[in-house]
Amino acid sequence: MDRKQEILKAAAKTFSLYGYKATSVDQIAREASVGKGTIYTFFANKEDLFQAIVLSTIEEMKQQAVRVLDPSATPAENAHKALIKMLEFRETHQLLARLIEEERATKSKAVYDMMQQVEKAIVEFIEQRLSRALPDLETDPKLLAYLLYKSYVAFVVEWNQLYEQPLDEKTISQFFHQSLFKGL
Amino acid sequence: MDRKQEILKAAAKTFSLYGYKATSVDQIAREASVGKGTIYTFFANKEDLFQAIVLSTIEEMKQQAVRVLDPSATPAENAHKALIKMLEFRETHQLLARLIEEERATKSKAVYDMMQQVEKAIVEFIEQRLSRALPDLETDPKLLAYLLYKSYVAFVVEWNQLYEQPLDEKTISQFFHQSLFKGL
DNA sequence: GAATGACCGTTTTGTTATTTTGGTCATTTT
DNA sequence: AAAATGACCAAAATAACAAAACGGTCATTC
């Protein structure tokens, strides 16, 4: 395996384990069995390397979302499935889960920026699927995708932060079909 | 004016000016021209006093929301008006604006809890208006109110955190009538 | 020419001394 | 007698400083 891939692998591992800030470039170099200077021949700086890791994680997430799509299902059902899968990925994937935790605990600009990229990727994915499946929609697909994403986060992730009584997934999907997806 | 009101007035003023954590009980006592001990004859502790201030602020917000309702308007239009007004209040009112800032900058449990109460109050207000205006709704009004609140926050407050291109209020209200309010 | 680690200025962390804080309660004021 | 008060206390926050760790560079090595 070439050195760049070795570095990427080591960085993904250590970032996932300790988070962005708590991982030192020395640590990554040691894990990759590479001199520290070598890292800087492939990446401009620590954040640039971080960016590369996050980008490939986003690709992985999108692939998982594609895999869950069903050509025979309605656009609404596919949007639902894709969103649920991506939100699950966001909370399950070692790196992303670690970054969410790190963002809450500290207030690192770098981590915040990366999580924002993840958000944008999800919205963009939904938007593209939406405008492909429903080409002559009167509403702006970007606004619609953003609304769907924010609504899913609100119900799947944030509901429990505000209310004791948890919300099971059946209730959520039923409610969404009664409200959000009504006009779709 | 009696001492309790004097204390409440002083606390509201200093909390609004310096935030919760940066305001000391001594400071409030001085501002209220009252001995520190007197404060503790009316309130169990600093947070209890804070709570009282926030509760009355919430009442003020709800009153402003009621004032904006129009009996001859549709339930959707009234929900829209009330939400816009309450979100505006949240960002305009000295105390709440200060607390939002404080919550972002530090991670104080007390401030977080209070802002959560504000959120709950907004959702509850919308829920009550909704079930009064539309008594035989097939969807749970609490879920609907929560969806509306979260959607308005997403578009009115959070959109600019993710995208450069700002969203004018006309576009937002038009979009909501095409999507969220379609089934209402 | 690619890889390296000793090296550098800066930032973060650990430590201790000092100050400020929320809350109490014996005393004073009404 | 009841309400008000501020000196007082343990605990928490802050300041000041030393020491360690950090991201990034670059002369040297491979």
Side-chain angles (χ1 to χ4, degrees):
Chain A
M1 198 188 247
D2 74 16
R3 310 180 95 81
K4 187 172 179 180
Q5 291 306 315
E6 210 62 67
I7 292 168
L8 283 167
K9 210 179 77 181
K13 181 178 173 184
T14 48
F15 284 146
S16 298
L17 230 41
Y18 310 107
Y20 175 67
K21 200 183 158 220
T23 294
S24 71
V25 178
D26 276 288
Q27 217 173 331
I28 297 170
R30 220 175 303 130
E31 178 73 30
S33 310
V34 140
K36 178 156 73 155
T38 309
I39 290 179
Y40 288 90
T41 68
F42 293 109
F43 304 95
N45 48 45
K46 188 186 175 186
E47 192 167 355
D48 187 42
L49 170 56
F50 186 34
Q51 171 81 253
I53 303 288
V54 169
L55 277 184
S56 84
T57 304
I58 286 175
E59 287 310 311
E60 195 187 333
M61 178 182 70
K62 288 200 277 191
Q63 276 176 31
Q64 291 209 18
V66 167
R67 227 174 279 135
V68 98
L69 297 176
D70 178 357
S72 70
T74 66
E77 279 168 351
N78 274 331
H80 174 80
K81 283 182 182 171
L83 279 165
I84 291 288
K85 170 56 78 182
M86 284 168 129
L87 290 189
E88 182 209 306
F89 185 90
R90 212 184 71 113
E91 290 188 334
T92 303
H93 189 273
Q94 261 200 78
L95 176 63
L96 295 191
R98 197 76 190 66
L99 294 183
I100 290 171
E101 162 60 26
E102 186 173 352
E103 197 192 351
R104 189 173 31 207
T106 73
K107 49 192 85 282
S108 154
K109 175 78 161 50
V111 174
Y112 175 80
D113 287 349
M114 295 299 161
M115 289 313 298
Q116 202 134 283
Q117 284 190 34
V118 174
E119 278 198 301
K120 277 188 179 174
I122 297 177
V123 173
E124 203 183 312
F125 180 90
I126 297 295
E127 179 193 347
Q128 283 171 2
R129 286 289 141 185
L130 233 41
S131 41
R132 191 171 311 179
L134 303 162
D136 33 84
L137 211 61
E138 72 277 20
T139 50
D140 186 339
K142 183 170 187 177
L143 296 186
L144 204 50
Y146 180 72
L147 174 64
L148 288 182
Y149 167 67
K150 283 291 190 174
S151 300
Y152 271 77
V153 170
F155 279 89
V156 176
V157 182
E158 294 172 351
W159 176 272
N160 299 324
Q161 292 171 14
L162 205 56
Y163 299 109
E164 305 292 323
Q165 184 70 30
L167 224 52
D168 65 298
E169 211 178 288
K170 271 279 185 315
T171 310
I172 295 175
S173 86
Q174 189 188 334
F175 170 68
F176 277 153
H177 275 88
Q178 283 175 4
S179 53
L180 274 181
F181 292 125
K182 209 163 198 173
L184 256 165
Chain B
M1 198 187 251
D2 76 14
R3 309 178 97 80
K4 187 171 180 181
Q5 291 307 315
E6 209 64 67
I7 291 167
L8 284 167
K9 209 179 78 180
K13 180 178 173 183
T14 49
F15 284 147
S16 298
L17 230 41
Y18 309 108
Y20 175 67
K21 208 196 149 205
T23 294
S24 71
V25 177
D26 277 288
Q27 217 173 331
I28 296 169
R30 219 175 304 129
E31 177 74 30
S33 310
V34 140
K36 179 156 71 152
T38 308
I39 291 180
Y40 287 91
T41 67
F42 294 109
F43 303 95
N45 49 43
K46 188 186 175 187
E47 193 168 353
D48 187 41
L49 171 55
F50 186 34
Q51 171 79 253
I53 303 288
V54 170
L55 277 184
S56 84
T57 304
I58 286 175
E59 287 311 310
E60 194 187 335
M61 178 182 70
K62 289 200 278 191
Q63 276 177 30
Q64 290 209 17
V66 167
R67 227 174 279 134
V68 99
L69 297 176
D70 177 357
S72 69
T74 68
E77 278 168 352
N78 275 332
H80 172 81
K81 283 181 182 170
L83 279 165
I84 291 289
K85 169 56 76 183
M86 284 168 131
L87 290 188
E88 181 209 305
F89 185 91
R90 212 185 71 112
E91 291 188 332
T92 302
H93 188 272
Q94 259 199 79
L95 175 64
L96 295 191
R98 197 73 191 68
L99 294 184
I100 290 171
E101 163 61 24
E102 186 172 353
E103 196 191 353
R104 189 174 33 209
T106 74
K107 51 190 85 285
S108 153
K109 176 77 161 47
V111 174
Y112 174 80
D113 286 349
M114 294 300 161
M115 289 314 296
Q116 204 132 284
Q117 284 190 35
V118 174
E119 277 199 301
K120 278 188 179 176
I122 297 177
V123 173
E124 202 181 314
F125 181 90
I126 296 295
E127 180 194 346
Q128 284 171 2
R129 287 288 141 188
L130 232 42
S131 42
R132 190 171 310 181
L134 303 162
D136 33 83
L137 210 61
E138 73 277 20
T139 50
D140 185 339
K142 183 171 187 175
L143 296 186
L144 203 50
Y146 180 72
L147 175 65
L148 289 182
Y149 167 67
K150 283 290 190 175
S151 300
Y152 270 77
V153 170
F155 279 89
V156 176
V157 181
E158 294 173 351
W159 176 273
N160 298 324
Q161 291 172 13
L162 205 57
Y163 299 109
E164 306 291 324
Q165 184 69 31
L167 223 53
D168 66 298
E169 210 177 290
K170 272 280 187 313
T171 310
I172 295 176
S173 88
Q174 191 188 332
F175 170 69
F176 276 154
H177 276 87
Q178 282 174 4
S179 52
L180 274 182
F181 292 123
K182 210 164 199 172
L184 256 165

